[in-house]
């Protein structure tokens, strides 16, 4: 019998204590994620598993991976290697060839029974078992049957079946499938499980296949790791976490020092009006106080008092409150990447570099109609008087975000399909039961 091997990670108790201390999490669970392989093996499901494991561990849970191929992700996320859980193991391939031709042999039963014993041993102490695609595809039906047998005898922890692909609804798999056991395990509701589908399409297919109500199937989409996608600096990530800025839509960027000629008070009044159409709108002012004018401190106090008076405490962010001094250029560039528009209401500029930086970042620019900015922007930016009524400026900005398809898609993707948002909105409630 092939023996399971644990790679990486400390003891469960040690990981629990460490994660609980770091994240102040009270309800800790031991979670196992099962698939044929995990990263660094390359694949869509493997990538999703890595993101899930990372998010669960970050939020304080003790997480382990169970697979035939791959590696431990870090000291907190260990890998339990079960070689017979592979889709490409020699014995598994031999049994699959028999099954594909419609034969259920003693080889299948022997493989299933070995997997039953290994799984039962390795799942001791696990509270939640999340199985990705193993109960949807016929890549290793002995593993599917082993899980089913343990589940039917109440020897599995709480079971979540995560369906990315469905063999019975995919034409290329149909020649390999036959009536009866074990193929029917892939289209039968086992009872007392939680089904998760990655899209509405998979949910509807699964509902029809298993004759269960669509409402009983949770839809949890895949997502994007914004920090990795944008290659954000560690300081940027820290500032974004402190402000929850990535949950805002739209994000207006004002990359200036805090000094009166920047006309930041107009930006605050515009935000009040913009939030009537976009309640989640946010403004981020990146610069420190101007270094050469003693009145800048009084100006900053005026702005923070105005922010409070207007009820914008959670919507207008001065990074000077979170970081002393100038931010590195790399961090400023990060904020251009994550923002939706440049808002530049200055009364006076000598040149207007932020307008060019917005152009390099493919951001729409809303600027005061002063000469240097008009000269740079020409017909390619939206201009307004620095004394314009806030509701007029806000209306112009709102119309852009109501009508621009790329802007609407970007905001929806950021607020709904970041892994952090998916975890908060879908996975955390799923784990709680």
């Amino acid at each position: 019998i092939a023996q399971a091997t644990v790679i990486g990670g400390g003891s469960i108790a040690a990981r629990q204590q460490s994660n609980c201390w770091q994240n102040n999490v009270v309800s800790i669970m031991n979670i196992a994620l099962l698939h044929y392989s995990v990263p660094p093996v390359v694949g869509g499901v493997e990538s999703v598993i890595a993101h899930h494991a990372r998010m669960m561990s970050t939020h304080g849970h003790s997480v382990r991976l169970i697979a035939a191929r791959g590696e431990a992700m870090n000291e907190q996320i260990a890998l339990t290697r079960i070689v017979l859980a592979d889709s490409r193991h020699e014995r598994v391939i031999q049994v699959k060839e028999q099954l594909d031709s419609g034969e259920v042999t003693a080889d299948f039963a022997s493989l299933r029974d070995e997997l039953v014993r290994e799984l039962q041993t390795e799942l001791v102490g696990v509270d939640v078992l999340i199985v990705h695609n193993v109960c949807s595809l016929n890549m290793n039906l002995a593993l599917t049957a082993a899980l089913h047998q343990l589940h039917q005898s109440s020897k599995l922890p709480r079971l979540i079946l995560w369906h990315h692909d469905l063999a019975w609804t995919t034409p290329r798999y149909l020649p390999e499938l036959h009536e009866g056991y074990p193929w029917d395990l892939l289209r039968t509701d086992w009872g007392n499980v939680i089904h998760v589908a990655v899209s509405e399409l998979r949910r509807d297919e699964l509902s029809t296949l298993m004759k269960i109500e669509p409402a009983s199937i949770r839809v949890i989409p895949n997502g994007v790791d914004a920090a990795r996608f944008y290659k954000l600096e560690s300081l940027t990530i820290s500032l974004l976490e402190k402000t929850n800025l990535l949950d805002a839509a739209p994000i207006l960027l004002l990359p200036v020092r805090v000094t009166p000629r920047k006309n930041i008070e107009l930006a605050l009044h515009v935000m009040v009006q913009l939030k009537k159409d976009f309640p989640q709108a946010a403004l981020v002012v990146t610069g420190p106080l101007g270094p050469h004018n003693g009145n800048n401190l009084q100006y900053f106090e005026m702005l923070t008092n105005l922010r409070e008076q207007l009820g914008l405490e959670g919507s207008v962010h001065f990074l000077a409150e979170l970081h002393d001094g100038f931010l590195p250029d790399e961090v400023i560039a990060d904020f251009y990447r994550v923002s939706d528009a440049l808002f530049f209401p200055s009364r006076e500029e000598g040149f207007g570099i932020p307008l060019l930086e917005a152009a390099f970042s493919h951001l729409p620019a809303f600027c005061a109609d002063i000469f240097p900015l008009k000269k740079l922007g020409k017909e390619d930016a939206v201009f307004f008087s620095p004394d314009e009524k806030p509701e007029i400026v806000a209306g112009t900005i709102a119309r852009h975000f109501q009508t621009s398809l790329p802007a609407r898609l970007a905001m929806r993707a950021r607020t709904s399909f970041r892994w952090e948002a998916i975890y908060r909105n879908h996975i955390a409630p799923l784990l709680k039961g």
Side-chain angles (χ1 to χ4, degrees), residues 303-316:
L303 290 173
T304 55
N305 288 334
L306 179 62
R307 177 178 62 182
E308 181 178 1
Q309 294 167 13
L310 297 176
L312 295 172
E313 292 93 334
S315 302
V316 172

Side-chain angles (χ1 to χ4, degrees), residues 49 98 337:
I49 289 171
Q98 296 167 353
R337 280 194 286 273

Side-chain angles (χ1 to χ4, degrees), residues 387-401:
D387 295 307
E388 183 59 271
K389 294 180 180 178
E391 58 267 29
I392 300 298
V393 181
T396 300
I397 297 173
R399 283 190 293 276
H400 168 78
F401 287 109

Side-chain angles (χ1 to χ4, degrees), residues 38 74 110 160 170 373-374:
V38 295
N74 52 46
S110 175
I160 299 173
T170 305
L373 300 185
K374 292 279 285 187

Side-chain angles (χ1 to χ4, degrees), residues 137-155:
L137 295 180
N138 60 321
M139 301 298 180
N140 187 342
L141 274 172
L143 178 57
T144 310
L147 289 166
H148 178 260
Q149 184 170 313
L150 288 169
H151 181 66
Q152 294 305 113
S153 58
S154 300
K155 294 179 181 177

Side-chain angles (χ1 to χ4, degrees), residues 46-67:
E46 286 82 358
S47 174
V48 169
I49 289 171
H51 289 299
H52 286 188
R54 190 177 298 109
M55 295 300 300
M56 292 171 187
S57 179
T58 298
H59 285 81
H61 298 295
S62 178
V63 181
R64 74 172 81 167
L65 308 176
I66 300 177

Side-chain angles (χ1 to χ4, degrees), residues 189 195 203 206-217:
D189 180 22
H195 292 288
R203 177 199 60 196
L206 188 66
S207 170
T208 301
L209 187 67
M210 294 190 174
K211 299 179 175 57
I212 55 180
E213 289 295 322
S216 69
I217 302 168

Side-chain angles (χ1 to χ4, degrees), residues 169-290:
T169 64
T170 305
R172 68 178 180 275
Y173 294 124
L174 291 179
E176 304 170 359
L177 304 176
H178 305 273
E179 296 293 328
Y181 177 89
W183 304 277
D184 282 354
L185 295 178
L186 303 176
R187 60 179 178 181
T188 305
D189 180 22
W190 296 1
N192 196 30
V193 304
I194 298 173
H195 292 288
V196 176
V198 296
S199 66
E200 286 80 5
L201 170 65
R202 287 289 182 261
R203 177 199 60 196
D204 295 343
E205 290 176 338
L206 188 66
S207 170
T208 301
L209 187 67
M210 294 190 174
K211 299 179 175 57
I212 55 180
E213 289 295 322
S216 69
I217 302 168
R218 303 202 189 198
V219 176
I220 300 182
N222 296 332
V224 172
D225 185 332
R228 292 188 176 196
F229 184 82
Y230 288 124
K231 299 181 180 180
L232 299 179
E233 300 288 318
S234 57
L235 176 55
T236 308
I237 294 171
S238 174
L239 293 169
L240 291 174
E241 289 175 348
K242 290 175 181 177
T243 57
N244 294 317
L245 190 66
L246 295 184
D247 289 324
I251 300 169
L252 303 187
L253 179 66
L254 184 43
V256 298
R257 295 189 305 253
V258 178
T259 189
R261 68 185 178 91
K262 301 300 183 178
N263 198 20
I264 299 172
E265 61 272 25
L266 174 61
L268 269 64
H269 286 290
V270 167
M271 282 296 299
V272 172
Q273 301 300 321
L274 183 61
K275 286 175 69 66
K276 294 178 180 179
D277 291 302
F278 291 93
Q280 303 305 313
L283 172 76
V284 56
V285 182
T286 62
L289 275 62

